[in-house]
Amino acid sequence: TTTTPIPLNKPPKLSKQTQSQAASRHGASLVSRFVDAEVGRKVLQELQTNVKHNQGTVDDLNHILNLEAMLHTHQGPRWSAIQLRPGRDPVTGDPVILFSARDKSDA
């Protein structure tokens, strides 16, 4: 199982070198984790729509997305059970997406 908080707001504009360094430090963006980027975009859009609907708060812990999709992994593309929920970074208080994935390929 992998659990990763992913910033919900857009990152600042960075140079290509800085982007590459940030990507290696912070992992891939939510959308790029999905083999089918369209699935990733729809998931992100649904989470962002929910945050806007709740007047900018991410405190609605009842809004949990559960789905199965192909994700990029170190072992290549794998079917995964995925759970996403909006939350807050415990240090900065910034909105994040809590991303959990469990490999279902061999299940």
Side-chain angles (χ1 to χ4, degrees), residues 19-67:
Q19 287 175 3
S20 176
Q21 291 169 345
S24 65
R25 282 196 313 269
H26 300 296
S29 73
L30 176 66
V31 173
S32 67
R33 291 172 186 251
F34 290 85
V35 171
D36 182 347
E38 186 59 29
V39 172
R41 282 189 286 276
K42 287 180 182 179
V43 166
L44 182 59
Q45 181 180 9
E46 184 170 340
L47 287 167
Q48 289 174 326
T49 299
N50 182 62
V51 169
K52 289 177 187 172
H53 176 65
N54 287 308
Q55 299 168 351
T57 68
V58 291
D59 301 319
D60 179 11
L61 297 180
N62 294 322
H63 188 75
I64 299 171
L65 292 178
N66 292 294
L67 66 140

Side-chain angles (χ1 to χ4, degrees), residues 58 87-96:
V58 291
R88 292 220 174 259
D89 182 296
V91 175
T92 65
D94 291 341
V96 297

Side-chain angles (χ1 to χ4, degrees), residues 2 71-78 80 103 105-106:
T2 302
L71 295 178
H72 295 288
T73 72
H74 293 293
Q75 293 82 29
R78 306 286 286 193
S80 301
D103 187 344
S105 295
D106 296 330

